[in-house]
Amino acid sequence: MKTIVSGIQPTGAINIGTYLGSIKNFVALQQAHPDHHFFLFIADTHALTVPQDPVKLRQAIKELAAMYVACGINLKQTSLFVQSAVSAHQEMDVLLQSFAYMGELERMTQYKDKALKQTSGIRASLFTYPVLMAGDILLYDAEFVPVGDDQKQHLELTRTIAERVNHQFPDFFNVPKPLIPELTARIMSLQNPDQKMSKSDPNVKSKILLTDDAAIIKKRIRSAVTDSEGTIRYDANSKKGLSNLIRIYAALENRTISDIVKRYETSDYQTFKADLGDLVASHLEPIQARYHSLLKSQELIDILNDGQAGAEALAIKKVQRFKKKLGLGLNR
Ligand code: ATP
Ligand code: LTN
């Protein structure tokens, strides 16, 4: 069976950066590869790498699960589950710790960035996070891993770890390919187009949440930082803010940047922003309706239970085979 694997941390409300950089592509990827099974999870163990309020974390897990389904994941082709419920993820993490080197982990830019932001102690799990992530992927012998640009380095390390294991035990892991979207690899903050739009950014004006209502969405886009030139053209260096908005527009309409620029070349920023506000709001409306009905439903719990069973069926066997290869335990 060919597989696709991806996950998102339940660390807060999902914004259109995460949606366009990952979730929307999950759906497209499933359509393009109907023969691939998708192991999609809520990366709750990853969330513990920084302090969390347990009540909020549990709520965020359900919200993310509901959002995945609301965004149109094809459940017939997917095992959707909570990472911590499949303990093979933790086991694989421990085993792979012996196939990653300190120097490799020290080079991870996400670790360096997040460690800098910590006001109290930096957790050991933040440092070893990429090993847990490698385990998430290798457990299912993923062919493809759809992620945004910020996860590229973690994917490279995953490939290195897989190749290292394979060197000792030929062909044990499939070496996965990252799938990073060209147009939406990095959607930027609406207030600071030099920074990626991020869940953890405390500035509410920097992002559009998938649960925001139409009035808020339009307001956020209206107040997005652009430039004073006044001409609608794409330039990712000198017109970062406007170019970010053009990318969001193009991605939502599944069109190219030049299609959008052509349509608005004689327009002003105000008109473009108003149209983009309408487009985002109408795109999110059906997602929001489905999300709210799912959130409190038994259907969601059933989906997650089924997904867990589907994931365990593969993951437990893979870990057992790995332990055996490594010479762990008794040969019973
Ligand atoms: P945090 O701020 O807590 O680190 P985040 O906003 O970076 O969270 P993640 O949960 O780490 O979001 O990301 C989930 C997925 O969405 C990853 O594949 C990531 O690469 C992608 N992603 C997140 N933000 C963006 C963005 N602004 N543009 C494109 N892809 C993104
Ligand atoms: N590190 C990722 C979340 C994640 C993930 C994965 C993504 C954890 N395990 C496996 C793809 C495959 C992030 O979004 N920050």
Side-chain angles (χ1 to χ4, degrees), residues 4-9 14 17-34 36-43 64-65 67-69 71-75 77-80 144-148 151 178-181 184 210:
I4 302 170
V5 172
S6 201
I8 296 179
Q9 299 184 66
I14 304 289
T18 301
Y19 175 68
L20 294 175
S22 68
I23 305 180
K24 188 166 179 283
N25 302 312
F26 298 166
V27 178
L29 195 60
Q30 285 194 296
Q31 286 164 356
H33 298 277
H36 282 49
H37 191 78
F38 192 13
F39 290 93
L40 175 61
F41 58 91
I42 295 110
L64 179 54
M67 197 48 96
Y68 277 142
V69 179
C71 288
I73 299 299
N74 178 357
L75 291 167
Q77 217 183 318
T78 307
S79 297
L80 173 63
F144 301 122
V145 184
V147 281
Q151 297 302 312
L179 283 187
I180 298 171
T184 53
L210 298 192

Side-chain angles (χ1 to χ4, degrees), residues 6-23 25-26 50 52 64 68 110 114 117 129 133 146-152 181 184-189 195-201 207 244:
S6 201
I8 296 179
Q9 299 184 66
T11 44
I14 304 289
N15 60 56
I16 52 161
T18 301
Y19 175 68
L20 294 175
S22 68
I23 305 180
N25 302 312
F26 298 166
V50 295
Q52 299 292 343
L64 179 54
Y68 277 142
Q110 193 176 74
K114 289 202 173 181
K117 287 186 194 152
Y129 170 120
M133 180 163 165
V147 281
D149 179 66
D150 60 326
Q151 297 302 312
K152 200 170 162 183
T184 53
R186 209 172 171 78
I187 296 296
M188 308 313 273
S189 152
Q195 256 175 27
K196 95 172 173 103
M197 188 184 285
S198 167
K199 275 200 225 113
S200 48
D201 188 335
K207 51 197 160 187
N244 189 41

Side-chain angles (χ1 to χ4, degrees), residues 22-159:
S22 68
I23 305 180
K24 188 166 179 283
N25 302 312
F26 298 166
V27 178
L29 195 60
Q30 285 194 296
Q31 286 164 356
H33 298 277
D35 59 329
H36 282 49
H37 191 78
F38 192 13
F39 290 93
L40 175 61
F41 58 91
I42 295 110
D44 58 344
T45 313
H46 280 270
L48 294 184
T49 53
V50 295
Q52 299 292 343
D53 170 339
V55 176
K56 287 191 186 148
L57 177 60
R58 186 152 297 140
Q59 180 60 20
I61 291 170
K62 280 185 82 177
E63 288 174 1
L64 179 54
M67 197 48 96
Y68 277 142
V69 179
C71 288
I73 299 299
N74 178 357
L75 291 167
K76 290 201 186 90
Q77 217 183 318
T78 307
S79 297
L80 173 63
F81 60 99
V82 181
Q83 180 191 32
S84 65
V86 179
S87 52
H89 284 254
Q90 271 76 45
E91 279 196 80
M92 193 53 114
D93 177 23
V94 172
L95 300 176
L96 291 179
Q97 296 285 338
S98 299
F99 288 86
Y101 298 131
M102 297 289 286
E104 288 170 334
L105 298 174
E106 276 161 6
R107 280 196 292 277
M108 294 292 120
T109 53
Q110 193 176 74
Y111 165 71
K112 289 191 269 191
D113 292 349
K114 289 202 173 181
L116 272 179
K117 287 186 194 152
Q118 296 305 302
T119 45
S120 52
I122 298 161
R123 297 183 176 190
S125 58
L126 186 66
F127 185 65
T128 59
Y129 170 120
V131 182
L132 176 61
M133 180 163 165
D136 297 336
I137 296 166
L138 300 178
L139 261 180
Y140 304 96
D141 284 304
E143 181 93 3
F144 301 122
V145 184
V147 281
D149 179 66
D150 60 326
Q151 297 302 312
K152 200 170 162 183
Q153 205 185 18
H154 293 158
L155 258 297
E156 277 159 14
L157 181 64
T158 301
R159 289 171 58 89

Side-chain angles (χ1 to χ4, degrees), residues 298-314:
Q298 180 59 35
E299 185 190 353
L300 187 66
I301 307 298
D302 294 343
I303 291 169
L304 291 169
N305 286 339
D306 284 356
Q308 180 182 336
E312 277 173 341
L314 238 81

